[in-house]
Amino acid sequence: MSRSHTGTGSRPPSDHPHPRDERRELDLYDLIEMIWSQRGMIIAVFLVLFVAGAAASFLLLNKTYEARARLLVLLDDEDLTPGAAGSGDGFIIEQVMQSESEIMNSETVRRIALENIGPAAVLPEGGSEALALRAMRQSFSVVRAPNASVLIPVLEADSPERAETVLNAIVDAYLEYRQVVLTGDGATGVADRRLQSDQAYTAALDALDRFLTENDITEYESDIAALLTQIAALQTSLATAQSERQAASAAASAIAQRVAEMPENIDLYVESSAENLLIENRLERESLLSRYLETAPPVVALDREIAELEDFIAGGGVEGLGQRRTGVNTVRQGLVQEQMRLESVAAAEATRARAISAQLSAAESEISRLRSLAPDYRRLAQDVAATAAAATSLATQQAEAEARQSLAPGSADAVRIVERAFAPAEGSSLKKLGVAAAFVFAAGTAILMGLLRGYWSRHVGPGAQARPVQQRTQTADLTDAIGPMPSRVAGVPVLARMPDRGSALGRR
């Protein structure tokens, strides 16, 4: 833009650089000159671009209608008044309002609203649900003033009725959905998880039942306890049977020894006439005494006969005489019977001991088998217990969530509709803004193209090599015309001097 001179400002006579090495800077006059020289092309480019942009603005930019609603968020549960709504701490307000804005601007709220009104209410020309959601996402926004507890949902549409319908549907969906978020506590999600937990519990229980059926188990813990009790009882019974068998065998052996020492037959009685005669004489003496005295000759004679018979019998005179009867030795027979009874008892106890031993072996084998199945049973039982506990916990959560839903909304109902959306009476159009933007774009593009073309033609293209010599010569003449630049002016060193281009050219 300016030409600098150093030192005293005097130019040496021989300081003429070669014309091809000269590189001068472009100043404002050069730019204006290049623009003026390319004015025809600039006007043509400007007209083409401006007309195209203006036509596109008029054809593509339609009028839009903006519907607004206002929702008041109450922050004080004790004093539900608009004054209390804005009196809370700033951080709390920002936090709450940001949360409410995110809930209102969530995809779930738009989906609920779309389900309520249908895609045709959003896209009158027809379209899929995805296109309707995208249109709602692009045209909907939530604005609010800082430190204010009023949310302003805004929706733009191509018709006022559509803007009103869609925005009111979004507001209603927001009020419905925030109740689920804040007070529902995921009751539906808890119900779904409870259903899954119940299914898992049923599957675990079925697996445990199949395991018990396949292994012939009624109830594992009860069967183990019953087997342990049975084994203890069998061991007691086996010890009793073995002791009773041993006692019976020992008693039978002792009786057998006694029986071996006894005769099988014994004399039952011996009958002789001397003894009968003695008895008859004694009876006759008693009969005589009833008539005579003891000193009477018949009685004395009979006493003498009785004495002789007694002496005869006492002297063994009747041994081997008379009748003799023998029979089985009843004592030996009783001992033999007792021996046989004891032997049968011993045999029975031995059989009983063998049966008890077999039962004990079977019980021990069974309990060994059950104990080998303990890891699998524990795993299945733990699965059942864990799924049952999870189902119980989820059932409790579901009951609590349903109880909370059945109560009054309370603080979760702290949003009041100050103003519902109404069909806007006037719409806004971007056509003027589009025309202005087209004008700016066309003018800028045309001027830039003119500058590029002028620069090319003057400094880069063919035939642009002779001009620098003439310009350099003009610069030297200007220096000669204005004279050398002083080194200091009023005590201040001079670093550069800007010549008056018009006056210098006038001097020439």
Side-chain angles (χ1 to χ4, degrees):
M1 299 293 294
S2 63
R3 296 161 178 81
S4 302
H5 298 275
T6 60
T8 62
S10 62
R11 176 174 54 84
S14 62
D15 188 13
H16 291 283
H18 195 274
R20 296 182 181 274
D21 298 333
E22 177 67 21
R23 292 186 180 183
R24 61 181 297 273
E25 297 180 358
L26 298 178
D27 55 15
L28 180 61
Y29 298 101
D30 295 331
L31 296 178
I32 295 174
E33 183 182 1
M34 283 189 292
I35 292 173
W36 181 254
S37 65
Q38 303 296 328
R39 60 185 177 276
M41 188 200 72
I42 292 175
I43 294 173
V45 173
F46 169 76
L47 291 176
V48 171
L49 294 178
F50 177 70
V51 170
S57 299
F58 277 98
L59 294 177
L60 299 179
L61 297 178
N62 298 323
K63 182 178 290 187
T64 59
Y65 297 87
E66 184 179 88
R68 288 173 173 258
R70 285 176 172 79
L71 303 176
L72 176 64
V73 180
L74 302 173
L75 302 182
D76 191 352
D77 295 338
E78 301 298 331
D79 185 11
L80 300 180
T81 61
S87 63
D89 185 74
F91 176 72
I92 297 177
I93 291 177
E94 291 297 324
Q95 209 172 32
V96 173
M97 299 304 293
Q98 183 65 28
S99 300
E100 297 293 340
S101 300
E102 292 296 331
I103 294 175
M104 183 182 294
N105 203 21
S106 64
E107 190 73 11
T108 304
V109 170
R110 287 190 286 268
R111 288 183 179 275
I112 295 175
L114 186 62
E115 291 177 359
N116 294 334
I117 61 177
V122 181
L123 301 174
E125 65 277 4
S128 63
E129 182 178 346
L131 293 177
L133 285 173
R134 186 176 66 179
M136 294 173 66
R137 190 183 308 112
Q138 293 174 351
S139 61
F140 178 74
S141 62
V142 180
V143 297
R144 64 182 180 88
N147 295 330
S149 58
V150 176
L151 295 176
I152 305 175
V154 180
L155 188 132
E156 294 182 356
D158 55 355
S159 68
E161 293 80 9
R162 185 171 298 107
E164 176 187 3
T165 301
V166 176
L167 183 56
N168 284 329
I170 291 177
V171 170
D172 294 337
Y174 158 70
L175 294 176
E176 175 187 352
Y177 180 63
R178 75 184 302 275
Q179 291 286 341
V180 177
V181 172
L182 300 179
T183 62
D185 196 20
T188 303
V190 172
D192 295 338
R193 287 188 293 156
R194 181 188 177 185
L195 179 60
Q196 296 175 358
S197 180
D198 290 340
Q199 293 174 353
Y201 172 71
T202 303
L205 195 59
D206 292 340
L208 180 60
D209 291 339
R210 285 195 302 271
F211 172 79
L212 295 177
T213 303
E214 291 173 358
N215 293 279
D216 194 19
I217 302 173
T218 303
E219 206 285 322
Y220 186 82
E221 300 294 342
S222 299
D223 289 357
I224 288 287
L227 284 173
L228 291 175
T229 304
Q230 182 182 4
I231 289 173
L234 289 174
Q235 289 175 347
T236 302
S237 300
L238 179 61
T240 302
Q242 290 176 346
S243 62
E244 290 181 356
R245 181 186 62 81
Q246 293 175 357
S249 298
S253 299
I255 291 174
Q257 293 178 359
R258 291 183 59 190
V259 168
E261 296 174 355
M262 290 183 178
E264 294 183 2
N265 297 318
I266 59 174
D267 294 333
L268 297 179
Y269 63 90
V270 178
E271 185 178 348
S272 63
S273 58
E275 292 174 350
N276 292 334
L277 181 59
L278 178 61
I279 293 171
E280 290 177 359
N281 290 335
R282 288 178 178 174
L283 291 174
E284 185 178 358
R285 180 177 179 277
E286 292 297 327
S287 176
L288 290 176
L289 288 175
S290 64
R291 296 192 301 268
Y292 301 99
L293 295 173
E294 291 183 359
T295 58
V299 176
V300 173
L302 191 58
D303 288 337
R304 190 171 49 253
E305 185 177 357
I306 291 172
E308 291 177 355
L309 286 173
E310 288 177 352
D311 294 338
F312 179 74
I313 293 171
V318 297
E319 285 293 333
L321 299 178
Q323 295 181 351
R324 189 183 191 94
R325 185 178 179 183
T326 61
V328 179
N329 190 346
T330 57
V331 176
R332 184 178 183 278
Q333 187 177 15
L335 292 175
V336 170
Q337 291 177 353
E338 182 65 17
Q339 178 186 355
M340 295 176 62
R341 186 187 70 79
L342 293 174
E343 290 176 351
S344 64
V345 169
E349 293 299 329
T351 304
R352 178 167 168 259
R354 287 192 297 271
I356 292 174
S357 297
Q359 294 176 3
L360 184 60
S361 298
E364 290 174 347
S365 300
E366 180 66 14
I367 200 169
S368 298
R369 184 181 71 87
L370 293 181
R371 284 173 176 170
S372 65
L373 298 174
D376 295 335
Y377 171 77
R378 298 296 180 193
R379 177 179 57 82
L380 295 174
Q382 288 173 357
D383 292 343
V384 172
T387 53
T392 303
S393 176
L394 291 173
T396 303
Q397 294 180 16
Q398 183 182 6
E400 292 176 353
E402 291 175 352
R404 283 194 297 269
Q405 283 183 335
S406 63
L407 298 175
S411 62
D413 195 26
V415 175
R416 302 289 188 269
I417 299 178
V418 178
E419 181 183 78
R420 295 189 70 87
F422 295 98
E426 298 180 358
S428 60
S429 176
L430 297 178
K431 292 182 179 180
K432 294 182 180 180
L433 183 61
V435 171
F439 177 84
V440 173
F441 176 75
T445 304
I447 292 174
L448 179 61
M449 293 182 65
L451 289 174
L452 292 175
R453 190 170 184 271
Y455 184 79
W456 174 268
S457 62
R458 286 180 177 273
H459 300 281
V460 179
Q465 302 295 332
R467 289 191 182 89
V469 177
Q470 181 180 359
Q471 293 174 356
R472 179 61 183 172
T473 303
Q474 292 177 356
T475 304
D477 294 340
L478 289 174
T479 304
D480 294 338
I482 64 177
M485 184 178 69
S487 60
R488 301 178 70 87
V489 176
V492 178
V494 177
L495 300 179
R497 181 175 180 178
M498 175 68 73
D500 188 355
R501 186 182 179 114
S503 61
L505 292 176
R507 291 190 189 99
R508 291 191 60 191

